[in-house]
Amino acid sequence: MSDFYRRALKKQDKLTVEKYRELLCSAAGEISRLETVLNSIPVGILVCDENHSLVMANKSAQRLLPLNVREGGLLWSVIQDKRIVEFLRSILLNSDKVMDKELDIALGGQNRLLSISVVPLVWEHRVTGSLTYIEDITEKRKGESRLRRAENLASLTTLAAGVAHEIKNPLGSISIHLQLMRKSLSRKDDAAVQEGYFRVLNEEIDRLNKIVVDFLFAVRPMALELREGNLNALILDLIQFIRPEMEQGNIRCLPELDENIPPFLMDARYMKQALLNLVKNSEAAMPDGGLLTIATRRIDNEIKINVCDTGTGIGEDNLARIFEPYFTTKETGTGLGLTTVYKIIKEHQGEISVDSREGEGTNFEIVMPIPQKERRMIAYNEPDGGAQAVTASKGAKK
């Protein structure tokens, strides 16, 4: 309620009939304006009281969720779609909060994808009901799907070009040594000469096989075996493993690990491989030695992992391409090391970014979500009226 109406109510004994009429007209105009705003919003909005009865539904909600009646009755009794009814009933009866739950619905003879969020309705610093937001994301998802297909096609083209380039050299070597073997056989050279040719052929065949294995790793989905693990312990094991090599290269390895990191769902093999690849990348960037820092931090519901070096850095022109398959600035690199890192982090639902300056060093930052085992509710019990998140059990009620 606006301050204007609060002040008016305090002086109601002194108001004339004309002033009451003006006050009612003003309130009616304000309510009408708010209704117009709500009905113009393309997102569906459902408002329920603390007993889960529907008290308001804007036009977008009525369009996206055909209702038996506009208002009145329990929310799940006025919605026609059974899956959405079951979902909302479960959320509201368990006093849960959910964001961006995706459900499909048959609407007008077409399948539509809806994103539904349910949050507490707050009045005077206490929960008095719930707000449900419904958004039609069908076209958005179709656009994302088209973009992914285009990106996959571009990535496949890059991979194919990289594979063709990588295969060309060992095939050329095999061709040359086959010709040499043919000449050697016609000259009846001794076994030692022919054995040398066979050895080169075997090496090149192994090289071809590795190229194929790396390619398949880059394009196939991973079969992750997620288990709760100690991320800090994994990093300490990795540091212990690389320490002799780092000391030999005059590189000091410094761990900065947050003790508040909770047990984390991960595939330890792949996670260690991703971090090892980043470490190897940093090692190559510090040929004259330097400092390598591996840090972990918990920030809200995320874990951040930073692998930072004081090496030569990455040129600005190359920064945007370092995760591309077969892109490398090293003379002997395959160009798949950072691609592998990117793939592993993405398979863990994480994100990876890089910040680098030539001559100053590079910082790779990995952000991993912490799965929420506990549902969160909102309690409004702070002295200043602020909101404070508190943990609630699954069966808790408001």
Side-chain angles (χ1 to χ4, degrees):
M1 186 180 292
S2 67
D3 290 340
F4 170 74
Y5 295 112
R6 290 181 187 276
R7 292 196 302 269
L9 286 175
K10 289 179 181 180
K11 299 178 180 179
Q12 57 181 317
D13 294 338
K14 300 179 181 180
L15 294 178
T16 64
V17 173
E18 185 63 30
K19 290 294 183 182
Y20 266 117
R21 185 179 292 109
E22 290 179 6
L23 190 63
L24 287 172
C25 287
S26 176
E30 199 166 304
I31 291 170
S32 177
R33 183 163 52 250
L34 288 174
E35 286 182 346
T36 301
V37 170
L38 286 171
N39 286 325
S40 300
I41 293 174
V43 176
I45 298 176
L46 300 173
V47 181
C48 292
D49 61 21
E50 56 190 359
N51 297 316
H52 313 308
S53 294
L54 181 65
V55 296
M56 196 277 287
N58 70 348
K59 288 185 177 179
S60 292
Q62 296 177 62
R63 175 176 56 82
L64 295 172
L65 293 177
L67 307 175
N68 292 326
V69 292
R70 184 172 184 271
E71 296 176 3
L74 293 173
L75 178 60
W76 46 85
S77 70
V78 300
I79 297 175
Q80 298 175 19
D81 188 273
K82 291 183 179 179
R83 288 184 62 213
I84 294 178
V85 165
E86 292 173 359
F87 165 70
L88 289 176
R89 182 170 184 169
S90 173
I91 294 299
L92 293 174
L93 289 181
N94 287 301
S95 302
D96 291 340
K97 173 184 176 181
V98 66
M99 300 299 295
D100 302 321
K101 172 69 175 180
E102 295 184 6
L103 294 170
D104 56 353
I105 182 175
L107 187 64
Q110 294 182 332
N111 289 326
R112 311 297 294 179
L113 185 62
L114 304 182
S115 174
I116 302 177
S117 300
V118 182
V119 297
L121 176 66
V122 181
W123 176 260
E124 298 285 334
H125 312 307
R126 70 184 185 90
V127 176
T128 60
S130 63
L131 283 175
T132 300
Y133 301 88
I134 308 105
E135 183 181 3
D136 187 342
I137 58 172
T138 309
E139 297 305 320
K140 179 182 177 181
R141 286 291 178 268
K142 286 182 179 178
E144 290 174 352
S145 179
R146 286 193 294 269
L147 179 61
R148 277 196 302 272
R149 286 197 295 269
E151 289 175 345
N152 288 340
L153 182 60
S155 178
L156 186 60
T157 302
T158 303
L159 278 171
V163 170
H165 176 76
E166 291 294 315
I167 286 177
K168 187 176 180 180
N169 290 333
L171 283 179
S173 178
I174 288 172
S175 176
I176 290 171
H177 281 82
L178 281 174
Q179 294 176 35
L180 292 174
M181 282 185 64
R182 184 178 294 110
K183 292 179 180 178
S184 177
L185 289 171
S186 65
R187 292 194 304 263
K188 297 182 180 180
D189 291 338
D190 58 36
V193 173
Q194 295 178 8
E195 182 63 30
Y197 296 146
F198 275 117
R199 185 177 64 255
V200 172
L201 286 174
N202 282 328
E203 289 173 355
E204 295 303 321
I205 289 171
D206 288 342
R207 186 175 163 193
L208 281 173
N209 184 61
K210 186 177 185 305
I211 291 170
V212 172
V213 169
D214 288 343
F215 173 78
L216 290 176
F217 181 86
V219 298
R220 281 179 177 171
M222 291 180 180
L224 295 183
E225 296 180 6
L226 297 178
R227 294 187 177 90
E228 277 195 349
N230 188 320
L231 181 62
N232 286 344
L234 183 146
I235 291 173
L236 290 174
D237 286 344
L238 175 64
I239 291 174
Q240 190 67 24
F241 173 72
I242 63 173
R243 192 180 298 278
E245 188 175 339
M246 294 290 118
E247 290 176 350
Q248 189 174 359
N250 198 27
I251 297 172
R252 186 163 67 96
C253 191
L254 177 65
E256 295 180 356
L257 306 179
D258 186 347
E259 294 180 357
N260 295 318
I261 300 294
F264 178 63
L265 274 178
M266 61 181 172
D267 188 313
R269 299 168 304 159
Y270 284 125
M271 187 60 65
K272 184 176 284 189
Q273 180 64 52
L275 294 174
L276 180 60
N277 284 8
L278 292 178
V279 167
K280 290 289 187 181
N281 199 74
S282 293
E283 182 184 4
M286 296 186 286
D288 299 322
L291 175 63
L292 171 67
T293 304
I294 305 178
T296 59
R297 290 175 295 156
R298 176 175 181 171
I299 300 178
D300 297 328
N301 294 324
E302 294 179 336
I303 295 174
K304 291 192 175 182
I305 308 168
N306 290 86
V307 179
C308 184
D309 65 59
T310 57
T312 56
I314 303 170
E316 197 170 317
D317 295 339
N318 294 331
L319 268 179
R321 300 189 59 197
I322 59 170
F323 295 116
E324 291 181 8
Y326 295 107
F327 175 78
T328 182
T329 57
K330 304 172 187 175
E331 293 182 3
T332 58
T334 64
L336 287 175
L338 291 178
T339 303
T340 299
V341 174
Y342 183 85
K343 184 178 177 64
I344 291 171
I345 299 306
K346 281 293 186 180
E347 291 284 342
H348 281 80
Q349 309 303 313
E351 298 290 339
I352 182 169
S353 59
V354 59
D355 182 32
S356 184
R357 289 176 176 82
E358 283 190 278
E360 297 182 19
T362 301
N363 175 34
F364 284 95
E365 182 171 86
I366 299 169
V367 180
M368 309 292 287
I370 300 174
Q372 294 299 292
K373 292 184 176 181
E374 299 170 325
R375 291 186 169 97
R376 309 287 290 181
M377 290 183 59
I378 297 183
Y380 295 84
N381 52 8
E382 290 186 356
D384 61 356
Q388 179 183 11
V390 296
T391 302
S393 64
K394 183 177 179 182
K397 297 291 186 291
K398 291 186 181 74

